[in-house]
Amino acid sequence: MLNAITVRGNVSAEGERTAGHNFKVLKMSTGKYAVTFDRDFPETPSVVVTIIGDEWRLVDNAHVHAIGTDRVIVTTGDYYGQYGDRPFSFIATA
């Protein structure tokens, strides 16, 4: 049985890591972030992501755009369905 690996963190709307360890963030464009893990997962991880903050709770969103063993691409959106910079938190585990 393999030991589970978990990486979790919080990311600001500007693409800065605000909590968590073992990952780096690159803001690729408006509302699009690459979260790169310091250590590859042994298989594709399961990833959950959500917006941080009460002001975003009704219609703004966060999505897992793509997942690999080395990184996840997260997109965040605004009220109008367009990409928008939003703070988010995530958990990746395998």
Side-chain angles (χ1 to χ4, degrees), residues 21-42:
H21 301 283
N22 301 318
F23 72 96
K24 295 173 187 62
V25 182
L26 171 66
K27 184 176 176 201
M28 302 169 72
S29 59
T30 300
K32 191 170 187 179
Y33 308 84
V35 176
T36 305
F37 309 120
D38 289 351
R39 185 174 123 194
D40 287 4
F41 283 87

Side-chain angles (χ1 to χ4, degrees), residues 3 6 8-9 13 15 17-19 26 32-33 36 38-39 44 47-48 57 62 68 70-71 73 76 91-92 94:
N3 291 332
T6 301
R8 65 99 187 152
R17 180 171 51 102
T18 59
L26 171 66
K32 191 170 187 179
Y33 308 84
T36 305
D38 289 351
R39 185 174 123 194
T44 303
V47 180
V48 248
R57 69 185 164 88
D70 62 336
R71 69 180 178 156
I73 305 296
T76 57
I91 298 173

Side-chain angles (χ1 to χ4, degrees), residues 7-11 19 21 23 25 35 37 47-50 72 74 88-92:
V7 177
R8 65 99 187 152
N10 296 345
V11 177
H21 301 283
F23 72 96
V25 182
V35 176
F37 309 120
V47 180
V48 248
V49 61
T50 191
V72 60
V74 173
F88 64 92
S89 63
F90 74 91
I91 298 173

